[in-house]
Amino acid sequence: PSLQSLRDGTFFKDLDTYLQEHLPLRADLIEGKAAVDSRVIGESPNPQVTFGSDGWLFFTEDLKRDCSVTSPGDVIVAQMARFVAETDAAGRKGVAYIGPDKSSMVPDRLPASLRDTCTRELSRQIRDELRTQRPAGVPDLFSTLDRDDVESLYWRRDSHWNPEGAALASAEVVDAIRPGLWDPSAVDRK
């Protein structure tokens, strides 16, 4: 250490950082804290993951993302329909869709404090608008995936659709592009 680092306090700051990073059993302590956070307190040690009920995990960003959107659902659906119309007018087949995330489709598995958020409200508005307007070239994947067994279409510990959910959504999108093209027997849903 230099005399200057002792005077300006950087020596002690650097020493503190070194001791924190080289603490004996540091990795074991971090792992132990994560176990207590998840098993005892019920909180995720990873800020990107939100724990739901019965082992369901949610991508935290999905729960916050729509809060920054200022357009209501009807405006979003109208913009999608306009994109499709303009693409069609340019000589191409336009399709626009919103892939419903797990938090929109299985909200009962969310923590109670996150069930009535702006994310859920925007998803509800979009879902209602798609069901009411049914614009050409904008498949309603909310309705496609909204089944009694909706939980069977998403991975419990991942934010994505499972193969069955992906096949149902893909069939709807392909049908919007070219009706009759989708061959369900050609898809491995396992």
Side-chain angles (χ1 to χ4, degrees):
S2 70
L3 189 55
Q4 178 62 30
S5 69
L6 288 171
R7 277 190 214 132
D8 66 16
T10 57
F11 169 77
F12 295 106
K13 182 181 173 197
D14 292 345
L15 178 63
D16 185 51
T17 300
Y18 176 83
L19 291 175
Q20 286 179 21
E21 291 176 356
H22 295 87
L23 180 70
L25 303 174
R26 180 177 187 267
D28 295 325
L29 291 170
I30 290 171
E31 189 174 316
K33 181 188 179 313
V36 168
D37 285 349
S38 64
R39 295 186 190 127
V40 177
I41 299 173
E43 292 181 359
S44 172
N46 182 338
Q48 295 182 330
V49 176
T50 296
F51 286 172
S53 62
D54 298 324
W56 282 77
L57 301 180
F58 295 88
F59 184 49
T60 303
E61 235 4 79
D62 285 346
L63 304 174
K64 297 189 290 185
R65 176 182 22 211
D66 295 337
C67 295
S68 63
V69 175
T70 58
S71 299
D74 62 334
V75 172
I76 292 170
V77 172
Q79 290 170 338
M80 294 168 66
R82 187 171 60 246
F83 165 79
V84 170
E86 290 174 3
T87 304
D88 288 348
R92 301 279 188 231
K93 177 64 181 157
V95 173
Y97 63 92
I98 293 177
D101 58 40
K102 184 165 72 172
S103 61
S104 297
M105 298 305 293
V106 288
D108 293 344
R109 297 298 183 178
L110 286 168
S113 63
L114 296 174
R115 290 184 189 154
D116 294 318
T117 63
C118 56
T119 300
R120 296 271 308 123
E121 175 59 21
L122 182 60
S123 291
R124 186 198 58 74
Q125 289 176 16
I126 291 170
R127 179 187 302 206
D128 290 350
E129 192 66 22
L130 287 171
R131 287 181 178 164
T132 303
Q133 299 301 320
R134 305 292 297 172
V138 184
D140 177 7
L141 299 185
F142 288 94
S143 292
T144 300
L145 299 175
D146 191 13
R147 307 176 350 169
D148 289 340
D149 66 341
V150 66
E151 289 185 3
S152 71
L153 305 178
Y154 289 85
W155 297 114
R156 182 180 291 252
R157 302 183 60 80
D158 188 307
S159 64
H160 297 91
W161 301 320
N162 62 26
E164 177 67 15
L168 289 170
S170 297
E172 195 73 22
V173 171
V174 169
D175 193 54
I177 296 168
R178 188 181 301 165
L181 178 64
W182 182 259
D183 178 6
S185 67
V187 178
D188 181 8
R189 297 180 181 203
K190 295 178 185 174

